[in-house]
Amino acid sequence: MKKFGAGRSIDDADKVLALHWSVVKPSWKCMRFEVKNLGPLRDAAIDLGGFTIVCGKNNCGKTYLAYTLDTFLDTIEYNLRLPLHDKDLDVLYSKGAVAVDLEDYVSDYIDVVQKTVPDFTQTLPRFLAMSDERFEATEVKVPLTRDGVIACLRGGSGPKADILEVPVKITKTASIVIKRSSVSTKVTITLINLSPELPSKKIVRDVLALQLAHMFNSTPDNPLFPKSFIITSERTGAALFRSELLSVKVRRDQDQSKPMPPTGYRGYGYQRPVEKDIEFVLELKRFLPRKSYIAERHPEILDFLATIAGGTYEFDTSVDQVRFNPQNVELSLSLAESSSTVRALAELYFYLKHRAKRGQMLMFDEPEINLHPENQRKLARLFAMLVRAGVRVFITTHSDYIVREVNALIRMNAVTGEARKALFRKYGYALMEGLQPQEVKCYVLRDGVAEEVLFDEGCRSFGIPSFDDTIERFNSLYNDLVDIGA
């Protein structure tokens, strides 16, 4: 029997996946992200689905878009403040606790977001390490509707609700505890005070303003603004030259004693997403004790990644170095001794094993770098598994193999009964790898505009014009060469 991952049969994998994925059935709520006059992009409106694919020729703005989106998702909560209504604050002070319905705050929240987004746009030059002049005409918008926000607040799934409890210390003798369920819009706020005097309302209001805003983004499965983890196209260099990049860490550590800038980002000459990428590589040792949601609930995804990389990774703390262990070989290699494919996938492995969370968005800039076409197809399958497991995926790509594999997964998922089992078994797929077309959002950046590629129900596929045109022209050339006997 063909094997799935490290020693798991397809049948075993299907049983495991069916067990886990019957618990989490993502019903993605789309966030809309709009930008104008961003580098080569004049106008781009992107709806983020479970799996978002952005294609286009070189220098069309894919990386500009990805870096701006990643920075927005990573910083928006840092800047949002949602004041508690006076009547609710009065009840909290008089009774020591208050039940708040977030639906009563939706309009306030939308107003706060819309006022904050322009501030983000003004700080974008610093985040992307570019001059202000390049962004003078840039606009960023995040349209929100009341129904859309409420849908995210009620977006919990699974056999039981997730309960979020956040304790926050206000003074030496006072603290607040905020508690909410992932399937309810109700929040309970409790004031705990050990002093005869109550803390000032201003202090409590200021603390609650941040925490109340966070409550709008606290549903694990479908947060309104999913936290992003980005893997940039610089990943192979970051992994290979880890020791040389320690100079960045030294500078950063020296700055820790200095006040944090208002943006919450110091900046060391790199674009912010690239610096995040580098910092993750530098801080790998710190993340090793953590076991991610994927490692705990979906280890078969890590097994499948091992089949793509051709082995497993480990961090050797004795020499502070990433090592690679090829499958079926008694050998341990440094990244410098390993193939470019191994280096290209190292960061993905450690993210999946130690950092991945439900509701998070994995952003991957050109994941096909250094991968053989077969492994590009497998990587698309891995992305589908992540979507099934509750992790959103956003990629920029030049790979026709990845897009065609996504189309195949959608078409395979439509097959039912024994024919489905036979088809998946014949080609070595696990039954839970399929995708629904509504989970996938696909865009082509062309002539300064983001064009959405709609799912063609007749062909049951997404057709990418830039890929299709190139393939057709090549086929035409090849046919002419055959006809003339060349």
Side-chain angles (χ1 to χ4, degrees):
M1 176 176 286
K2 295 180 181 179
K3 295 295 180 181
F4 175 88
R8 296 176 189 265
S9 72
I10 294 173
D11 289 337
D12 289 342
D14 286 340
K15 291 176 183 177
V16 173
L17 298 182
L19 175 63
H20 290 320
W21 287 336
S22 63
V23 174
V24 178
K25 296 179 180 177
S27 178
W28 302 109
K29 312 295 188 299
C30 288
M31 168 196 154
R32 190 169 181 83
F33 188 74
E34 300 178 359
V35 295
K36 293 181 183 295
N37 304 313
L38 176 69
L41 282 176
R42 295 194 319 275
D43 192 0
I46 304 291
D47 289 320
L48 300 175
F51 190 175
T52 305
I53 303 171
V54 177
C55 307
K57 295 182 178 180
N58 297 114
N59 304 313
C60 67
K62 297 189 300 298
T63 299
Y64 264 98
L65 179 63
Y67 284 8
T68 301
L69 174 59
D70 170 70
T71 302
F72 176 82
L73 292 175
D74 205 44
T75 60
I76 182 63
E77 276 197 288
Y78 184 87
N79 296 290
L80 295 179
R81 301 292 186 275
L82 185 62
L84 193 67
H85 293 166
D86 288 339
K87 62 181 181 63
D88 290 329
L89 188 62
D90 290 341
V91 172
L92 178 63
Y93 265 72
S94 63
K95 297 185 177 181
V98 62
V100 172
D101 192 336
L102 294 179
E103 286 196 31
D104 296 335
Y105 284 79
V106 170
S107 296
D108 295 348
Y109 183 79
I110 292 174
D111 288 343
V112 167
V113 172
Q114 301 311 330
K115 291 175 182 176
T116 304
V117 172
D119 295 334
F120 164 78
T121 306
Q122 291 181 6
T123 59
L124 199 52
R126 176 175 172 80
F127 287 136
L128 298 188
M130 297 181 187
S131 64
D132 292 348
E133 290 76 15
R134 291 197 182 190
F135 298 89
E136 286 180 341
T138 300
E139 297 178 28
V140 176
K141 294 181 180 179
V142 184
L144 297 176
T145 65
R146 179 178 176 81
D147 289 344
V149 173
I150 292 175
C152 284
L153 288 173
R154 295 175 175 172
S157 66
K160 63 180 181 179
D162 290 280
I163 303 299
L164 177 68
E165 188 168 313
V166 181
V168 183
K169 197 166 185 64
I170 302 173
T171 66
K172 291 182 179 179
T173 59
S175 61
I176 56 173
V177 177
I178 307 170
K179 189 174 182 179
R180 77 162 292 220
S181 162
S182 63
V183 295
S184 172
T185 60
K186 303 291 177 53
V187 173
T188 302
I189 303 171
T190 305
L191 175 60
I192 301 171
N193 184 51
L194 304 178
S195 170
E197 295 184 5
L198 290 170
S200 76
K201 283 189 175 182
K202 183 181 184 307
I203 293 176
V204 173
R205 187 190 296 273
D206 289 345
V207 171
L208 281 175
L210 176 63
Q211 299 303 326
L212 195 60
H214 284 181
M215 288 297 107
F216 275 79
N217 212 41
S218 60
T219 305
D221 295 328
N222 283 293
L224 189 62
F225 301 121
K227 287 292 186 184
S228 64
F229 181 94
I230 191 165
I231 300 177
T232 68
S233 57
E234 286 82 0
R235 58 189 174 274
T236 54
L240 183 59
F241 300 110
R242 182 176 180 276
S243 58
E244 287 83 349
L245 289 168
L246 284 171
S247 59
V248 177
K249 183 176 185 300
V250 171
R251 269 200 300 167
R252 187 197 61 203
D253 292 345
Q254 290 172 344
D255 281 351
Q256 294 305 308
S257 60
K258 301 176 184 177
M260 178 67 75
T263 59
Y265 171 57
R266 299 183 189 278
Y268 299 102
Y270 296 103
Q271 293 164 309
R272 190 176 196 276
V274 175
E275 183 164 308
K276 281 173 53 183
D277 210 353
I278 292 171
E279 286 190 351
F280 176 66
V281 172
L282 292 176
E283 297 287 352
L284 278 178
K285 186 188 296 186
R286 181 164 64 89
F287 299 123
L288 295 180
R290 303 181 189 178
K291 199 172 184 181
S292 75
Y293 165 72
I294 293 298
E296 288 183 342
R297 298 295 301 276
H298 301 284
E300 64 281 347
I301 294 179
L302 283 166
D303 291 344
F304 189 70
L305 179 57
T307 69
I308 304 174
T312 58
Y313 301 80
E314 64 178 350
F315 191 89
D316 188 341
T317 55
S318 65
V319 292
D320 200 30
Q321 187 181 73
V322 175
R323 308 288 298 181
F324 180 72
N325 304 309
Q327 289 178 334
N328 305 318
V329 179
E330 291 295 329
L331 186 66
S332 178
L333 304 173
S334 68
L335 288 186
E337 299 170 307
S338 303
S339 70
S340 58
T341 297
V342 169
R343 295 196 292 272
L345 296 174
E347 197 170 338
L348 177 62
Y349 176 86
F350 285 104
Y351 161 73
L352 293 179
K353 188 171 183 178
H354 301 291
R355 292 290 301 278
K357 297 179 181 179
R358 271 169 62 198
Q360 198 173 46
M361 177 173 287
L362 168 63
M363 301 187 70
F364 212 143
D365 192 17
E366 299 183 12
E368 67 273 11
I369 290 176
N370 296 325
L371 297 188
H372 183 276
E374 179 182 359
N375 280 336
Q376 293 179 40
R377 292 182 57 198
K378 285 185 177 180
L379 199 57
R381 293 168 59 185
L382 183 138
F383 292 151
M385 292 178 189
L386 288 176
V387 173
R388 294 269 61 75
V391 177
R392 293 177 187 250
V393 176
F394 177 104
I395 66 170
T396 68
T397 184
H398 295 286
S399 173
D400 180 53
Y401 291 101
I402 288 178
V403 174
R404 291 174 69 181
E405 187 68 26
V406 168
N407 286 333
L409 292 173
I410 292 173
R411 299 187 72 171
M412 289 170 69
N413 196 53
V415 180
T416 59
E418 291 302 318
R420 175 186 175 92
K421 292 181 181 179
L423 181 67
F424 276 65
R425 185 178 300 280
K426 178 179 180 180
Y427 291 99
Y429 287 73
L431 290 176
M432 302 304 292
E433 289 182 40
L435 284 169
Q436 299 284 351
Q438 61 268 27
E439 293 175 313
V440 181
K441 291 289 183 179
C442 192
Y443 296 87
V444 172
L445 305 189
R446 183 166 55 181
D447 299 327
V449 177
E451 301 176 3
E452 183 174 4
V453 179
L454 298 177
F455 183 72
D456 187 326
E457 290 289 351
C459 298
R460 292 202 58 77
S461 65
F462 292 94
I464 308 299
S466 59
F467 294 160
D468 295 343
D469 293 347
T470 300
I471 293 170
E472 288 175 6
R473 284 196 300 272
F474 177 78
N475 287 341
S476 177
L477 168 63
Y478 194 85
N479 289 336
D480 285 347
L481 290 171
V482 171
D483 288 342
I484 64 177

